[in-house]
Amino acid sequence: MNLELNAIASELVEDVIEDAESLRIIEHDTPSEGLLLDFGVDAEGGLEAGCALASICTAGLADINLVPGLLGDIGWTYVNVGTDSPVAACLFSQYAGWQVSVEKYFAMGSGPMRAVAAKEPLFDKLWYREEAEQVVGVLETPKLPGPEVFQYIADATDVDPSD
């Protein structure tokens, strides 16, 4: 079974690139030729950027919506997430379960690239692996990655760093 999580997420990334300015995200140049989108390290980001990133993380298998609510007596915005494919959207894709540690850089890896790398025991337990020509991942960290991180991910997923 191949759900093509990375192919779906790649299409969502293309949509986000077209809206980068309105989402207040930054596309950084990288020496590795890989694509680096900044949703909140140097970029301002915001709620809509967060929803777009959540959609990418779940490979488009979840509906992500902002809904009004209350936190005590204070008006508060909540994020509502719904999916008919919780295992694929959450465990195979969104869950930040891959520790990406390269030299002095550390991030928790999230997104569908995890299904290709399959570094976590859950992929053996649930019998899932994905092959992809391009991988899409989210690095949960306060620091932008360098080319060595792109290479590490490329080696783990057997794709070229530009992919």
Side-chain angles (χ1 to χ4, degrees), residues 13 16 23-24 29 38 58 99-100 106 115 122 126 132 157:
V13 166
V16 165
L23 291 171
R24 301 183 311 233
D29 291 326
D38 177 356
T58 58
Q99 294 184 16
V100 177
F106 179 80
L122 74 88
L126 297 175
T157 58

Side-chain angles (χ1 to χ4, degrees), residues 13-96:
V13 166
E14 293 300 323
D15 293 341
V16 165
I17 291 170
E18 291 177 17
D19 278 344
E21 188 175 339
S22 67
L23 291 171
R24 301 183 311 233
I25 64 172
I26 299 170
E27 181 178 348
H28 290 277
D29 291 326
T30 62
S32 65
E33 300 178 18
L35 177 63
L36 175 59
L37 297 177
D38 177 356
F39 281 75
V41 175
D42 294 332
E44 184 178 356
L47 292 172
E48 291 300 323
C51 287
L53 186 58
S55 186
I56 291 167
C57 275
T58 58
L61 295 176
D63 293 319
I64 316 289
N65 300 297
L66 299 173
V67 295
L70 292 173
L71 184 61
D73 296 343
I74 301 170
W76 202 262
T77 301
Y78 286 90
V79 179
N80 184 46
V81 179
T83 182
D84 286 336
S85 304
V87 171
C90 299
L91 292 180
F92 295 161
S93 194
Q94 177 274 325
Y95 174 69

